[in-house]
Amino acid sequence: FFFNFAFITPKGIKQKMKATILIFALLAISVYSETCDNPMAYNVNMSSVLLDTPSSDVSSLKYCKNLQSEGKTCCSSDNVAELKGKVTNLTSYLVGVAGARDKKVADGFRYTLSNISALYNDFLDALDKIEPSLNLNSTQKDIVKDAKSMIAMIWNAFKGNMTEAVKGFKTFQQNRAKCFKTLLDIQAAAYCLACDPDWSNNGVNSDGSINYSQNLCTRIQNNCFDYVTSTQEQNKMWLLVMAAPHVAEVYEQWTMVIKPIIDSQGNNFNINNIPGVTISQEQIDMAFDQWASVKAEFQAEGMNWTIPINEMASNNTWANRDNKIGVLPEGCTSASKCDWICTHFLDNGAIQLSQAIAGGNTDYSWDSSDFSGNSVSSRILENRFLADENTWDPSEDEAGITVTVEADPAGQSQYMESGSRIVAGIFAFAAAFLAIIFA
């Protein structure tokens, strides 16, 4: 009796009160963690559809396995049903841009390659006709030979690099589709995370940033690294597309003005017989005297195609707003050594369209407000990468929404394959042609 009485002394009461306070504190934390005031919902444009308080009516939820397993939701069944439409719209946008880009590359490749090859062959042929009438000295003849040699090296390097890019075009498309599907699956899961009352225990921080799990980042890296690396090869195509307007202008001038004049005189071409054209020996000498500076400027401007074109395509000076190409991030040497992919393709639950579409690091900005939500970067949120505790680790089918991404939405791979055969044929012809010239 004395023992029991002693147990409820003031000291014993104080201990019970401490225990009771602790229990209430834990309950308060539990209640606080299950709210609909989810800050990451802003990242994916979902904040306006959240309920005021969590609902236990999950039986009619069509998607979001996380909500069904937890038995609570901050989104109505209608809002959850609409998530598939959001994913479909984003998929259509990504695939649409990818298809438009493929078509632009394929059209530019076919048209520009055809014009460049015609210009190349016509120019060498014309040079052979013009040279005898220029009364060149031995030094000037050496310059002509040097120019021919340089043009030949540029052409060979150009064709070699383009051939590799064409061969890898279909693989690039497949890699892109695989990466896009992974990002879209995770984006769909992020929509479901926005509806999760238990967001604070699933990697979401009070500022809306998300702690990605190691498993999630590995998943993104493994499924997107090949896309990023194959993009570097395809950047060569963009260089060709960028050159298309200039090549077309030069080709038109050549075919409409210069070539007809040269052809009209046949094999007896004499520059002094061209009506209205008078070129003095002094002008000819001056032009040849400028060759050294012209050649140096050509090389200094980075347009010497004798260097591997992939070096130009991977150079940061080319990855600007106008070129719209993605550069391989520094230090990305393998899937396991490219954290950049994890933190830049998907930023706190929202696909970053600029980087994903470019397939690498780019300064070009796509308008993503209608698809992924507001710009997370403008909120200056920290990417809390691979936190040790309380991370977001959605399953591959967390949302339960089927995502299908076409690899070749614009049907351009067949044209690129035919272009590859054209390149091979031109290469063989050019080799035989140069053998005759320099024999």
Side-chain angles (χ1 to χ4, degrees), residues 264-341:
S264 66
Q265 298 193 43
N267 294 326
N268 299 316
F269 179 85
N270 189 323
I271 197 168
N272 296 315
N273 292 336
I274 301 176
V277 176
T278 302
I279 301 178
S280 66
Q281 189 63 42
E282 183 180 1
Q283 288 175 303
I284 294 174
D285 293 342
M286 185 181 298
F288 278 94
D289 289 342
Q290 294 175 348
W291 167 248
S293 61
V294 170
K295 181 179 179 180
E297 182 180 353
F298 186 84
Q299 294 172 327
E301 289 297 320
M303 294 302 293
N304 181 0
W305 291 72
T306 59
I307 65 173
I309 293 181
N310 61 301
E311 291 183 13
M312 294 171 61
S314 301
N315 192 294
N316 283 323
T317 59
W318 289 90
N320 56 35
R321 184 178 180 84
D322 295 326
N323 295 340
K324 306 182 181 113
I325 65 175
V327 172
L328 184 69
E330 186 175 353
C332 283
T333 56
S334 66
S336 61
K337 295 181 179 179
C338 195
D339 294 348
W340 183 94
I341 294 177

Side-chain angles (χ1 to χ4, degrees), residues 27 192 199 243 417:
L27 288 173
C192 294
W199 53 267
E417 289 171 355

Side-chain angles (χ1 to χ4, degrees), residues 72 123 145 160 166 205 252 375 408:
K72 291 185 179 180
F123 177 75
K145 187 176 182 179
V166 169
N205 301 296
E252 181 179 4
S375 174
D408 187 14

Side-chain angles (χ1 to χ4, degrees), residues 63-70 185-186 188-190 192-193 196 202 219 392-401:
Y63 307 112
C64 299
K65 296 178 180 179
N66 60 318
L67 305 180
Q68 296 168 7
S69 63
E70 291 174 11
D185 283 339
I186 298 172
C192 294
L193 178 62
D196 193 341
N202 281 289
R219 177 177 158 197
W392 183 45
D393 187 21
S395 65
E396 294 194 13
D397 191 31
E398 179 97 332
I401 298 174

Side-chain angles (χ1 to χ4, degrees), residues 113 116-117 120-121 124 148-164 304-309 423-435 438:
L113 181 66
I116 290 177
S117 62
Y120 170 74
N121 293 321
L124 290 182
K148 286 182 177 180
S149 177
M150 186 172 183
I151 292 170
M153 286 189 293
I154 293 170
W155 176 238
N156 290 337
F158 171 76
K159 291 195 311 302
N161 279 278
M162 287 299 132
T163 300
E164 291 304 312
N304 181 0
W305 291 72
T306 59
I307 65 173
I309 293 181
V423 172
I426 293 173
F427 183 84
F429 173 79
F433 189 73
L434 291 172
F438 298 111

